[in-house]
Amino acid sequence: MAVRPLVDFREKTLREPSRPVDPFDREVREAIRDLWDTLGTKRGLAMAAPQIGLPFRLFVYDLKRSSVKGNQAPVRGVLINPEIMHREGTITVVEGCLSFPDLDLSIVRPERVTVSGLNEAGERVVYSGEGLFARMIEHEMDHLDGVLLLDRQTSWGRLISLWRRWTWERSMRKRNS
């Protein structure tokens, strides 16, 4: 349908929790198409509705590679009204976000997650996965809950990333002036 601009990282809409939606609502169906169109123009793996200014509890993802052994989820899909059912283990990773272009931060994520929600057909699904899938689920769930990548940094990660963040913020000010 349409490629939408990403909401600026300073907008408070990214800090607001999204609301559950009806998967058969016309506006929700359009939002899913717009998310796919917009994600197709970016170098990212997933995109949540709040990133394009919609307060809907849904996201699209395309991991662009075959599934990790042990992952039960499709490599590409839509999750509507998702909820994390289980988290297991922790791992420190360097992660980026389309809402913060060119900024990669060291954060802690679960190693394995189980998520439930609705697929694009409105059917209840439950997926368990690890690695990239688990990190993607947690990242997009943060967007749906109004949590930003910057909020997930550990104390050690904040020290490591301080210079990167300062440089990034300076470049964004120059880009926007």
Side-chain angles (χ1 to χ4, degrees), residues 47-98:
M47 186 173 290
Q51 290 180 280
I52 60 171
L54 300 173
F56 302 158
R57 192 164 187 79
L58 69 94
F59 63 86
V60 301
Y61 67 93
D62 185 352
L63 299 181
K64 299 176 176 48
R65 62 175 96 161
S66 62
S67 194
V68 172
K69 184 177 180 182
N71 285 353
Q72 302 165 346
V75 175
R76 178 181 163 95
V78 175
L79 271 176
I80 302 168
N81 303 329
E83 297 295 331
I84 298 288
M85 299 172 59
H86 179 74
R87 292 174 173 93
E88 188 178 315
T90 59
I91 186 169
T92 301
V93 296
V94 175
E95 192 171 299
C97 179
L98 293 172

Side-chain angles (χ1 to χ4, degrees), residues 116-128:
S116 68
L118 304 174
N119 64 16
E120 196 166 2
E123 302 163 328
R124 172 77 43 202
V125 295
V126 176
Y127 300 134
S128 291

Side-chain angles (χ1 to χ4, degrees), residues 15 94-98 100 103-107 109 139 142-143 147-154:
R15 290 278 189 194
V94 175
E95 192 171 299
C97 179
L98 293 172
F100 296 89
L103 179 65
D104 296 321
L105 300 176
S106 177
I107 62 169
R109 292 280 189 204
H139 184 105
D142 278 352
H143 278 300
V147 176
L148 300 179
L149 186 62
L150 302 174
D151 302 331
R152 290 289 180 201
Q153 284 194 280
T154 62

Side-chain angles (χ1 to χ4, degrees), residues 138-166:
E138 286 286 336
H139 184 105
E140 299 311 315
M141 291 296 292
D142 278 352
H143 278 300
L144 300 182
D145 293 334
V147 176
L148 300 179
L149 186 62
L150 302 174
D151 302 331
R152 290 289 180 201
Q153 284 194 280
T154 62
S155 297
W156 179 245
R158 283 188 186 107
L159 287 173
I160 292 171
S161 301
L162 184 59
W163 184 82
R164 277 196 220 163
R165 285 177 58 187
W166 178 80

